[in-house]
Amino acid sequence: MTTGTRILVLNAGSSSLKYQLIDMLDGSRAAAGLVERIGEPAGRLAHTPRSGAGREQLRFFPDHGAALTAVAAELSADGLGLDSPELAAIGHRVVHGGRRFTEPTVVTDEVLAEIRRLIPVAPLHNPANITGIEVARGLRPDLPQVAVFDTAFHATLPEYAARYAIDREVADEHRVRRYGFHGTSHRYVSRATAQLLGKDPAEVNVIVLHLGNGASASAVAGGVCVETSMGLTPLEGLVMGTRSGDVDAGVVFHLHRVGGLGIDEIDALLNRRSGLLGLCGDNDMREVVRRSQEGDAPARLAFDAYVHRLRKYLGAYCAVLGRVDAVAFTAGVGENSAPVREAACAGLDTLGIAVDAELNSVRSSRARIISPEYARVAVAVVPTDEELEIAQQAFALVHTAVE
Ligand code: ADP
């Protein structure tokens, strides 16, 4: 039986490993950091302990195993090693859980095999997540490894929202459907928004706008997700930093047949050279706003296209939910960009949505309401905390498992 009160949260990307060691008694971080450029000559580990100065290692980390071993050594130096009895579990962010994984899951060989079977629908993400789990298991085979899936919160989408209107047999054979992503953030933020309103999540309908490098919207009715903007992959929906979001699927045929582009080129175009970057050459919203305020036409177009798409989803999700109690902005752009929030909500008074200019301009890292008192819908800025959500889910699971 575990008596530990800490959870190590790992988020393994293709060449990076982010980690946070979270104290579950108060949600505080005992340590955090990341290893970047794994497998490249100039790798970097940046470690931030709770107290004292941060530490940096600039060297070659050949693979995720080497990276996690180095992280474990840094944690040991702080007296927080992976062998500590304080550690209750390791929580892993796993991007794609398919239809099977709708809850946090203790990793077994069979679970790992199933996550591997999902690689064709998440070729960029699941392999790295699997590596993270395998490496962590190797270092602490006795400790529960808990997988928390980005898709899980969207498993409640009604069938008519999850299905693309294509031949059912073909879709089922290839597992083509709308899974949605950023679910850990949408879940956390929708609940935190209810808390901000002093209500139970079951009582409120919330539209969550997660606007980071990747961006997605969700409609959450009484704590249950009923619609989200990402689909089979994280490409669908909003205009993002480098991803196009919605395009007519015919664009792909056209670029292939008429433009002569190969399928991988089109994939790279839509995922990595589109969105804000494709429209104006910058994918950082700070730069886009700065340039457009200076009168730069491509940057203005990029900003307007970004906001236009956001407003289309906002309006659509009002229709999906019927009654909306709150709109919550979160992630890098949502938490920090007053111009995006202002433009997204401008002129929506008939929907009950409005932003108070003064409240919107306040910079803060706390959850807050930015709509005027008279507004029917509360517009809120709610910082997301995916790591805490993963840790809480993992902690709850290992405690239920041993009781
Ligand atoms: P990720 O999807 O990588 O987790 P984040 O949620 O950290 O991304 O968001 C990163 C993005 O947030 C950056 O690309 C940048 O465009 C945006 N961002 C960060 N700070 C600001 C700011 N002050 N104003 C506008 N945009 C910001």
Side-chain angles (χ1 to χ4, degrees):
M1 140 134 200
T2 175
T3 51
T5 53
R6 290 200 184 109
I7 301 282
L8 178 66
V9 177
L10 293 182
N11 180 353
S14 57
S15 65
S16 68
L17 180 70
K18 293 188 199 147
Y19 62 96
Q20 291 194 4
L21 184 63
I22 303 185
D23 200 327
M24 298 316 293
L25 297 178
D26 58 4
S28 67
R29 272 47 172 184
L34 89 158
V35 188
E36 20 180 29
R37 294 188 292 275
I38 296 169
E40 295 172 35
R44 172 173 176 263
L45 187 164
H47 179 80
T48 310
R50 192 200 302 270
S51 52
R55 302 192 288 275
E56 192 179 52
Q57 291 184 34
L58 298 170
R59 65 178 175 87
F60 176 52
F61 298 96
D63 52 31
H64 285 75
L68 187 57
T69 305
V71 168
E74 290 289 0
L75 291 170
S76 287
D78 294 334
L80 300 166
L82 292 193
D83 52 353
S84 158
E86 290 295 308
L87 195 59
I90 300 183
H92 297 266
R93 176 190 183 214
V94 179
V95 167
H96 216 308
R99 294 196 73 180
R100 154 124 182 236
F101 298 116
T102 59
E103 299 286 340
T105 305
V106 173
V107 176
T108 60
D109 288 342
E110 193 266 327
V111 166
L112 208 51
E114 183 61 23
I115 299 173
R116 196 169 281 119
R117 240 165 52 82
L118 290 164
I119 287 176
V121 282
L124 300 179
H125 294 104
N126 274 27
N129 302 155
I130 291 166
T131 306
I133 293 171
E134 284 177 337
V135 165
R137 267 180 129 193
L139 287 181
R140 274 301 301 272
D142 55 314
L143 202 64
Q145 311 282 331
V146 179
V148 177
F149 300 89
D150 251 29
T151 46
F153 185 56
H154 307 303
T156 47
L157 253 61
E159 191 63 8
Y160 53 76
R163 279 228 172 239
Y164 292 107
I166 62 174
D167 183 279
R168 277 173 47 194
E169 278 182 26
V170 174
D172 291 345
E173 186 187 345
H174 299 288
R175 291 195 273 189
V176 171
R177 62 189 280 115
R178 305 188 58 247
Y179 294 97
F181 297 88
H182 292 145
T184 308
S185 175
H186 285 287
R187 183 178 200 273
Y188 177 86
V189 171
S190 57
R191 279 161 171 67
T193 305
Q195 200 176 16
L196 184 66
L197 301 181
K199 300 228 166 107
D200 190 272
E203 296 174 317
V204 292
N205 290 349
V206 187
I207 297 174
V208 178
L209 304 172
H210 176 110
L211 311 176
N213 266 320
S216 63
S218 69
V220 183
V224 175
C225 187
V226 294
E227 180 55 289
T228 195
S229 60
M230 285 177 167
L232 173 73
T233 76
L235 181 57
E236 191 178 338
L238 303 174
V239 174
M240 313 184 206
T242 67
R243 291 179 221 149
S244 61
D246 296 334
V247 290
D248 177 355
V251 169
V252 177
F253 316 140
H254 178 83
L255 288 175
H256 179 61
R257 294 194 189 117
V258 181
L261 272 68
I263 207 72
D264 290 337
E265 283 176 280
I266 300 172
D267 187 332
L269 174 80
L270 297 180
N271 275 298
R272 295 209 287 271
R273 289 191 284 124
S274 294
L276 296 173
L277 182 72
L279 288 169
C280 77
D282 262 314
N283 65 330
D284 189 319
M285 185 54 85
R286 281 165 290 205
E287 273 306 292
V288 176
V289 169
R290 189 191 59 74
R291 281 173 51 194
S292 77
Q293 282 169 350
E294 287 171 358
D296 179 304
R300 180 82 231 173
L301 175 67
F303 182 85
D304 289 347
Y306 183 98
V307 167
H308 176 67
R309 184 82 54 83
L310 198 51
R311 290 165 63 84
K312 286 210 295 187
Y313 272 89
L314 196 50
Y317 287 8
C318 287
V320 166
L321 288 172
R323 189 198 81 227
V324 179
D325 300 300
V327 174
F329 286 89
T330 195
V333 176
E335 291 168 31
N336 296 300
S337 183
V340 167
R341 295 192 298 255
E342 184 193 329
C345 297
L348 298 185
D349 303 73
T350 50
L351 296 176
I353 297 171
V355 162
D356 179 283
E358 206 169 308
L359 294 176
N360 189 34
S361 65
V362 174
R363 294 193 64 83
S364 162
S365 57
R366 306 182 73 135
R368 60 203 184 273
I369 291 175
I370 58 167
S371 45
E373 230 162 80
Y374 66 78
R376 196 154 32 86
V377 176
V379 179
V381 180
V382 180
T384 192
D385 196 338
E386 289 162 280
E387 289 78 13
L388 182 61
E389 179 70 34
I390 291 172
Q392 283 170 341
Q393 293 192 21
F395 194 61
L397 185 63
V398 293
H399 276 269
T400 324
V402 293
E403 267 161 19

